[in-house]
Amino acid sequence: MLKRFREDIQTVFERDPAARSILEVLLCYPGLHAIWFHRIAHWLWSHGLKTLARLVSHISRWLTGIEIHPGAKIGRRFFIDHGMGVVIGETAEIGNDVTIYHQVTLGGTSTKKGKRHPTIGNNVVIGAGAKILGPVKIGDNCKIGANSVVIRDVPPNSTVVGIPGKVVKRDGIKPTRVDLEHGQLPDPVMETLKQMLTIIHDLELEVKSLKKRVEDND
């Protein structure tokens, strides 16, 4: 258990350059507190103490602003940066080395029992305000852009942006560590505009060329 605590603290230092001391991390990182509360709540949930588990998670929500259902399964080296407004549903599953930012929702789209929340692979970064809804699967090494709404499965090594979320980039090379540059994502709208401007420019040149030919013939 002590080893896991040390690993959690080290994860904060690796992914947040604002972390300056162990004392600061222990006292001032609600994302870390929420994860520790969740481990207690999940243990209680797994041992049939459902109401007590919900009470622990409720206290955690009140103290941290982060809501994690005690039934959710979370892997190692999970990091919640800032964290206010994060919601993780009961049947959500999160792999190792995942980073999520504030106001992220791993939510359900059904009132039926059973699997109804997302499954997140390893080494995934989910940008601020993103919503991943339903029992969708997010592959390893993916980036989900800020404020994206994902309602379909995402293959590994992909970058997703937009509403609804669409894969705009897919790399064949697996990164060796979590890349937090989730703000540097492709802009499909801008790329389309650039292509249109290029076409317009080429057409203008062609019109000028044709006009010059007509004038020369006159």
Side-chain angles (χ1 to χ4, degrees), residues 8 35 44 64 125 154 156 166 169 175 191 196 215:
D8 293 334
I35 292 168
L44 293 170
T64 67
V125 177
V154 177
K166 296 181 179 179
K169 183 179 180 183
E191 292 299 322
M196 291 177 64
E215 291 174 350

Side-chain angles (χ1 to χ4, degrees), residues 18-77:
R20 290 169 294 189
S21 69
I22 293 177
L23 182 61
E24 180 184 36
V25 170
L26 289 174
L27 296 178
C28 304
Y29 275 75
L32 183 64
H33 303 154
I35 292 168
W36 287 349
F37 270 114
H38 173 71
R39 290 202 184 131
I40 298 170
H42 184 69
W43 187 91
L44 293 170
W45 183 269
S46 301
H47 287 76
L49 302 172
K50 308 290 188 182
T51 302
L52 186 56
R54 289 301 302 269
L55 179 60
V56 171
S57 68
H58 186 69
I59 293 171
S60 174
R61 175 190 179 190
W62 181 67
L63 292 173
T64 67
I66 298 168
E67 182 175 344
I68 308 176
H69 193 284
K73 298 178 181 178
I74 297 177
R76 297 175 64 179
R77 296 176 296 278

Side-chain angles (χ1 to χ4, degrees), residues 40-184:
I40 298 170
H42 184 69
W43 187 91
L44 293 170
W45 183 269
S46 301
H47 287 76
L49 302 172
K50 308 290 188 182
T51 302
L52 186 56
R54 289 301 302 269
L55 179 60
V56 171
S57 68
H58 186 69
I59 293 171
S60 174
R61 175 190 179 190
W62 181 67
L63 292 173
T64 67
I66 298 168
E67 182 175 344
I68 308 176
H69 193 284
K73 298 178 181 178
I74 297 177
R76 297 175 64 179
R77 296 176 296 278
F78 178 50
F79 180 56
I80 304 174
D81 199 1
H82 298 291
M84 181 61 71
V86 166
V87 177
I88 300 174
E90 177 188 0
T91 62
E93 299 177 52
I94 300 173
N96 298 324
D97 302 299
V98 172
T99 300
I100 67 175
Y101 290 80
H102 53 284
Q103 296 184 334
V104 164
T105 298
L106 305 183
T109 56
S110 172
T111 57
K112 296 179 180 179
K113 298 288 186 180
K115 178 66 173 172
R116 59 189 187 280
H117 297 95
T119 297
I120 311 298
N122 300 319
N123 204 49
V124 173
V125 177
I126 306 175
K131 310 292 185 276
I132 305 177
L133 306 174
V136 299
K137 294 182 179 181
I138 308 300
D140 295 345
N141 313 310
C142 285
K143 289 183 185 178
I144 309 299
N147 292 317
S148 298
V149 178
V150 182
I151 55 176
R152 295 183 180 87
D153 291 354
V154 177
N157 310 308
S158 298
T159 298
V160 175
V161 298
I163 304 173
K166 296 181 179 179
V167 176
V168 295
K169 183 179 180 183
R170 189 172 181 186
D171 300 323
I173 302 175
K174 295 182 179 180
T176 56
R177 58 181 299 177
V178 174
D179 180 3
L180 299 183
E181 297 293 341
H182 63 290
Q184 299 179 10

